Amino acid sequence: MVLDMIDGISSLRVYIPSDLTTQDRRQTVHNTLSEVEERFVNGKEGGIPLLDPLDDLGIEDKTFSVVLRKAETLEAKLKKDQFLEINKQDLKTYEERAKCDEEIKDLKRRIRQTEDVILKDEMGYYTKFLKKLGYLSKDDIVEVKGRFSTEINAANEILATELVFCGFFNKLNHFGVAAILSCLVFQEKADGSGTSDIPAELVEPYKEMIIMAKKIAEVKRQCKLISDVDKEVASIQPHLIHVVYAWAQGASFASISGMVNVFEGTLIRTFKQLEELLRQLESGAKRIGNQELMLTFRQASAALKRDIVFAASLYL
């Protein structure tokens, strides 16, 4: 007999003959067990009495006595616990739920491991991309381009940096600089406006920006960072070039609001983000020691920062 088959040890002792081969002896044992059941289980005795370690076995250890009473107290509390009344179906449902929870934890762990692998691969691709463009050396040392790009977070820092280092802004006045950079911060659709509204003197700079964006996107594709070059280039929106150009040269907010089909709040938000980008570019130019470019960005920022767009409050 294994220990799991024993539910408890009783103080009652039933004598069972060593030989139970005859029908009479088996019937005698049956009658005896039936009498015990009738008296102690179905009767008024309250159940078959269990063997008491203190009274029946004579154990006098005080520590054992304390531990035994605590165990009896806990058993009494457990019998009153509502969870003991849960039926088998509820218990089965709980076990299934617990199994599902474990499976969810295991899946989440696998997802984290997969994400770590993906991020590690992406980091390798991006490092390769930065090395190809000259932001990192072969020994992973940050180059001048890399230091410049760290100053920018208001727009596409790679495209802005490439435009600076190829001399793109050197042939533009500060009005044109502010206008052409609006392509990097405005990311919404604007009905009724497009490349046809771009001022004549900014058409070629816009085309040059698109060419540069395509070159960068192609390098990204080669480094497995993107799959669609055209989709990457499509994020450059020309819809506000003429609007910003007019504003920088002193046009009123009422007049520029009618030049494009976007909400006034969108215009104000775009102008503020553009001014932040210009300040960051000024900081980058200062970092690389280009005083002339730093002045251009500062003037472009000053041309934007006026009137109701940059008012501290609309309640004047």
Side-chain angles (χ1 to χ4, degrees):
M1 178 181 292
V2 295
L3 189 62
D4 291 343
M5 298 177 64
I6 300 175
D7 182 67
I9 300 177
S10 174
S11 59
L12 297 178
R13 178 182 295 178
V14 176
Y15 292 96
I16 299 176
S18 57
D19 183 11
L20 294 175
T21 56
T22 63
Q23 180 65 30
D24 292 341
R25 290 185 176 181
R26 288 199 295 270
Q27 186 63 44
T28 300
V29 172
H30 178 269
N31 293 339
T32 302
L33 294 176
S34 297
E35 183 179 350
V36 170
E37 182 181 14
E38 183 67 24
R39 178 179 174 182
F40 291 97
V41 178
N42 300 328
K44 299 180 180 180
E45 298 293 337
I48 297 175
L50 296 177
L51 190 67
D52 189 289
L54 301 179
D55 297 335
D56 298 324
L57 298 179
I59 298 176
E60 299 179 354
D61 190 338
K62 293 182 180 181
T63 303
F64 179 80
S65 175
V66 173
V67 172
L68 182 63
R69 297 312 171 205
K70 285 184 178 180
E72 291 174 349
T73 303
L74 292 174
E75 287 178 357
K77 288 182 178 179
L78 283 174
K79 289 180 180 179
K80 295 179 181 179
D81 199 314
Q82 59 178 340
F83 293 107
L84 293 177
E85 300 176 3
I86 295 177
N87 57 43
K88 292 183 178 180
Q89 183 60 40
D90 291 338
L91 183 59
K92 183 179 179 181
T93 302
Y94 171 79
E95 290 175 347
E96 290 176 352
R97 172 63 184 273
K99 184 179 179 181
C100 289
D101 288 341
E102 288 299 321
E103 290 178 355
I104 290 172
K105 289 180 180 179
D106 183 59
L107 289 173
K108 285 183 176 179
R109 180 182 58 79
R110 292 183 183 180
I111 290 172
R112 285 195 298 270
Q113 291 176 346
T114 305
E115 287 176 344
D116 290 342
V117 173
I118 292 173
L119 288 174
K120 186 177 180 180
D121 290 342
E122 286 184 353
M123 185 174 67
Y125 298 151
Y126 210 86
T127 300
K128 183 180 178 181
F129 167 69
L130 293 175
K131 286 182 177 180
K132 277 195 171 187
L133 291 181
Y135 289 73
L136 291 176
S137 69
K138 294 181 179 180
D139 299 322
D140 293 335
I141 297 173
V142 180
E143 301 285 8
V144 177
K145 276 187 178 181
R147 291 196 295 271
F148 182 93
S149 65
T150 58
E151 298 290 334
I152 304 169
N153 58 33
N156 187 328
E157 68 276 8
I158 299 297
L159 178 54
T161 301
E162 290 298 310
L163 292 173
V164 167
F165 279 82
C166 75
F168 174 81
F169 296 108
N170 295 340
K171 52 194 173 186
L172 294 172
N173 59 30
H174 60 280
F175 301 128
V177 168
I180 205 72
L181 282 173
S182 67
C183 299
L184 302 186
V185 297
F186 184 70
Q187 299 295 315
E188 300 182 21
K189 296 293 184 181
D191 298 332
S193 64
T195 55
S196 60
D197 296 314
I198 300 176
E201 58 270 34
L202 295 179
V203 171
E204 284 305 315
Y206 172 71
K207 290 180 179 179
E208 291 178 21
M209 176 182 280
I210 294 298
I211 292 172
M212 178 62 73
K214 285 182 178 179
K215 288 181 179 179
I216 296 172
E218 181 59 30
V219 177
K220 273 190 173 182
R221 188 192 64 78
Q222 294 172 3
C223 295
K224 300 181 181 181
L225 289 172
I226 62 170
S227 58
D228 192 339
V229 171
D230 293 334
K231 184 178 180 181
E232 182 81 1
V233 176
S235 63
I236 300 174
Q237 302 287 346
H239 306 298
L240 292 189
I241 291 179
H242 63 301
V243 177
V244 175
Y245 198 56
W247 173 260
Q249 296 182 83
S252 67
F253 189 76
S255 64
I256 67 169
S257 298
M259 295 172 66
V260 65
N261 187 23
V262 297
F263 292 113
E264 289 82 357
T266 301
L267 281 178
I268 292 175
R269 184 171 62 252
T270 302
F271 278 28
K272 288 185 175 181
Q273 188 176 352
L274 177 56
E275 194 275 332
E276 182 182 2
L277 173 60
L278 286 166
R279 283 190 286 108
Q280 291 174 356
L281 287 168
E282 180 188 347
S283 178
K286 181 180 179 180
R287 187 166 187 176
I288 62 174
N290 192 327
Q291 298 297 323
E292 183 179 350
L293 199 56
M294 185 175 69
L295 179 61
T296 300
F297 290 135
R298 183 182 300 169
Q299 290 173 337
S301 175
L304 286 181
K305 200 169 183 179
R306 63 179 179 82
D307 209 345
I308 192 173
V309 174
F310 288 88
S313 173
L314 296 179
Y315 299 96
L316 303 176

